[in-house]
Amino acid sequence: MTFSQRPTSRRTVLTALAAAATAGAPVLGQLAAAAPAFAEDLEYPSNTALYKDPALVEGTTYGRRFKRHEKIDADLGAKAAFPRTAVLALHGGGIEIGTSELALGIAGYNPGDITPTSAPILPTTHDYFLFEGLLSSGNKALHVTSKNCDDHVALSLAASHLNVLSLHGCQYNQLGMPEPMVWPPSSDPRLAVVGGLNADFRAALVYEIGRAGFPVVDAFDPTYAVRLEDFNGSHVTNPCNLTMLRKGAQIEMTTELRQSLFGDSSSRSKRASTWNQSNGQFEAFRDACRRAIATVEAGQPIL
């Protein structure tokens, strides 16, 4: 069935949502009710298709941010380091909440204070790329499956780094995990699923995230591999695997896990202002990822 044959198309809903956002008006209830009318199979086939949609306006409907850290080697007799790891949030903002803020944190920056001249808040920095949904509602319509990402900046960052850590969000009931839960407390739906083709990176992430107190599994663990096949980040065109080594890592985080990283996760502004009001949960998860990156990089000397 084509877009035009559906009673409510993605473009119809997004045009109205974008218009409301531009006008500064609240999104109308009927628009929210119409959102389920476009199904998952109507997802944009690529970033190119999304960027070309006249119903969408960069800066209003969606936004993109990235940072490459300048490195210079002008000394013929010395060897300078270069950034080995990039952090991606391909579905940030309101699409998969918390992923863009966490990406900024892992990259070494304050998620609530990012400007072109922002200084890092941590001693080690990483390059990053964010694609963010900016609508007050209906951001799921801006989702592009990772394997179909063709954003030039995201792909160039991946291709110029030894490692990529890509952050994603999911719902616990999508994972098909066994009940009751296999970790205490038994009612805890928080879970991080670590995927990607870099087995060493996965192992470091699973170890550090678990040591920090978060429920975590390796998507390739034989106990869960069949259940988590759709969440294992194994596709060769997934940007996390388009690195210089042709392998990388990604983390799928359940909604409850992502919400627990903020004092208030209900909006972009609230997440930006309360990332450091979660009883240390944001910092603990951020630092676990940074330790895993450091472990992997320690085994990758610059040639």
Side-chain angles (χ1 to χ4, degrees), residues 207-252:
Y207 173 75
E208 293 292 353
I209 292 171
R211 191 162 71 97
F214 297 93
V216 59
V217 296
D218 185 330
F220 290 85
D221 184 324
T223 304
Y224 310 109
V226 174
R227 299 175 185 272
L228 299 176
E229 185 175 5
D230 291 337
F231 299 88
N232 66 15
S234 63
H235 202 282
V236 294
T237 63
N238 184 323
C240 81
N241 297 319
L242 293 178
T243 67
M244 294 167 66
L245 302 176
R246 311 308 285 180
K247 58 184 180 180
Q250 72 169 36
I251 308 175
E252 291 273 3

Side-chain angles (χ1 to χ4, degrees), residues 4 14 79 102 105 119 143 158 181 189 216 218 292 295:
S4 61
L14 282 175
K79 178 178 64 177
L102 187 57
H143 185 279
M181 308 275 187
V216 59
D218 185 330
T295 296

Side-chain angles (χ1 to χ4, degrees), residues 18-190:
T22 302
V27 178
L28 300 180
Q30 61 264 36
L31 295 178
F38 50 81
E40 290 296 320
D41 63 348
L42 290 183
E43 185 174 88
Y44 284 99
S46 65
N47 290 77
T48 296
L50 186 152
Y51 300 153
K52 289 183 176 180
D53 190 336
L56 308 183
V57 179
E58 186 162 10
T60 300
T61 312
Y62 68 90
R64 290 177 282 179
R65 293 186 283 175
F66 75 91
K67 186 174 183 67
R68 282 183 178 271
H69 294 83
E70 184 180 26
K71 299 291 183 181
I72 298 173
D73 185 348
D75 188 335
L76 292 175
K79 178 178 64 177
F82 70 92
R84 283 171 280 181
T85 303
V87 186
L88 308 182
L90 302 177
H91 309 134
I95 305 172
E96 292 171 355
I97 66 164
T99 57
S100 48
E101 292 83 7
L102 187 57
L104 289 170
I106 295 171
Y109 290 87
N110 181 340
D113 184 27
I114 288 295
T115 68
T117 59
S118 291
I121 61 173
L122 296 173
T124 302
T125 59
H126 304 289
D127 294 348
Y128 63 80
F129 170 85
L130 317 173
F131 175 87
E132 300 174 275
L134 302 181
L135 296 168
S136 58
S137 179
N139 285 286
K140 296 297 183 184
L142 301 172
H143 185 279
V144 175
T145 299
S146 296
K147 67 181 182 181
N148 294 334
C149 175
D150 63 351
D151 183 283
H152 289 171
V153 176
L155 296 185
S156 67
L157 274 178
S160 60
H161 288 74
L162 294 172
N163 315 298
V164 159
L165 177 58
S166 189
L167 304 174
H168 298 272
C170 63
Q171 298 177 31
Y172 186 85
N173 60 13
Q174 292 178 303
L175 300 175
M177 295 294 285
E179 297 289 352
M181 308 275 187
V182 295
W183 46 80
S186 61
S187 61
D188 188 356
R190 298 178 305 153

